[in-house]
């Protein structure tokens, strides 16, 4: 029997105090183990395929899923197992790495905004403009790389950026782009285990970077930055979800549930044909039926 997964418990409230310490990275409720969940996930992915087809056919909405996490949390894995199997016509996946010199010459939103999904498509951001209130906050020297005018680097720069992000996400929502932001919440202990697995497996060593170990030393700083960023930018129109990430099988189920609920909330339907289109289709049917 399938268990019901309530995604509202993952949602970050827009008001009130929020702490990552209150969210258990190993939580798998209501599932007690991974037994049988592979079939559940397959069913969910099939449901997603049908919904994404409707999204593409209707071509009214665009949907953006933003994934953020510490290294080793399983972003690539979640995207691969849940979303990359969808019709390529209806999906776009972008991975944002360290900004290039060209990107540094633009505002920090530029490279992401030019990659937004078109109507009828799902956009998936593996990291995003949120790096500029996370990594840049932990490493303030990165702000200098932007070569901003001194007057733009104020003591309130982070609060100002939160305000800008909220405004841009509200603007996109008002123009038909549905935004959902997902933080994969992995524990420091589980991250360490996964890093060691990468080092021990020759086929996965390419994934490992010494910088990943260096960033672990700033774990508390990152958690504080994530907490403030999510609390400041989780809104009714563009909410954050904190998904437990210590068990990849559960992470995939939760991501699938969030994705499905997001698409179902749009009440997607097959677009109605105009009288002209209906006549054209009937004419084509007659031609195919009686002519070779």
């Amino acid at each position: 029997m399938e268990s019901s997964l309530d995604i509202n418990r993952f949602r970050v409230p827009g008001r009130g105090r929020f702490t990552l310490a209150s969210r258990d990275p190993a939580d798998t409720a209501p599932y007690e183990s991974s037994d049988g969940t592979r079939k559940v996930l397959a069913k969910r992915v099939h449901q997603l395929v049908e919904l994404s087809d409707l999204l593409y056919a209707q071509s009214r909405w665009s949907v953006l899923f933003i994934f953020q996490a510490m290294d080793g949390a399983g972003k690539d894995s979640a995207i691969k197992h849940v979303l990359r199997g969808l019709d390529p016509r209806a999906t776009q996946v972008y991975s944002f790495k360290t900004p290039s010199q060209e990107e540094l010459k633009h505002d920090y939103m530029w490279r992401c905004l030019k990659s937004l999904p078109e109507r009828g498509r799902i956009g998936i951001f593996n990291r995003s403009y949120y790096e500029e209130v996370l990594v840049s906050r932990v490493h303030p020297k990165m702000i200098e790389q932007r070569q901003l005018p001194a007057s733009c680097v104020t003591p309130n720069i982070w609060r100002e950026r939160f305000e800008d992000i909220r405004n841009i996400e509200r603007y996109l929502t008002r123009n038909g782009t549905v935004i959902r932001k997902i933080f994969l919440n992995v524990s420091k202990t589980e991250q360490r285990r996964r890093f060691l697995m990468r080092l021990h497996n020759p086929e996965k060593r390419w994934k490992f970077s010494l910088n990943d170990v260096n960033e672990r030393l700033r774990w508390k700083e990152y958690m504080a930055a994530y907490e403030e960023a999510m609390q400041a930018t989780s809104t009714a129109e563009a909410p954050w979800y904190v998904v437990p990430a210590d068990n990849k099988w559960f992470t995939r189920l939760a991501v699938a549930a969030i994705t499905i609920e997001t698409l179902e909330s749009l009440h997607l339907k097959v677009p109605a044909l105009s009288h002209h289109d209906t006549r054209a289709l009937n004419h084509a049917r007659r031609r195919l039926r009686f002519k070779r």
Side-chain angles (χ1 to χ4, degrees), residues 34-46:
S34 62
D35 294 345
T37 57
R38 184 172 296 181
K39 290 183 178 180
V40 176
L41 181 61
K43 182 178 179 180
R44 295 288 184 265
V45 171
H46 178 71

Side-chain angles (χ1 to χ4, degrees), residues 64 113 116 167-177 179:
L64 174 63
L113 294 183
L116 287 170
N167 289 338
I168 286 177
E169 290 179 345
R170 185 179 297 115
Y171 164 79
L172 292 173
T173 300
R174 287 173 174 171
N175 283 273
T177 298
I179 303 172

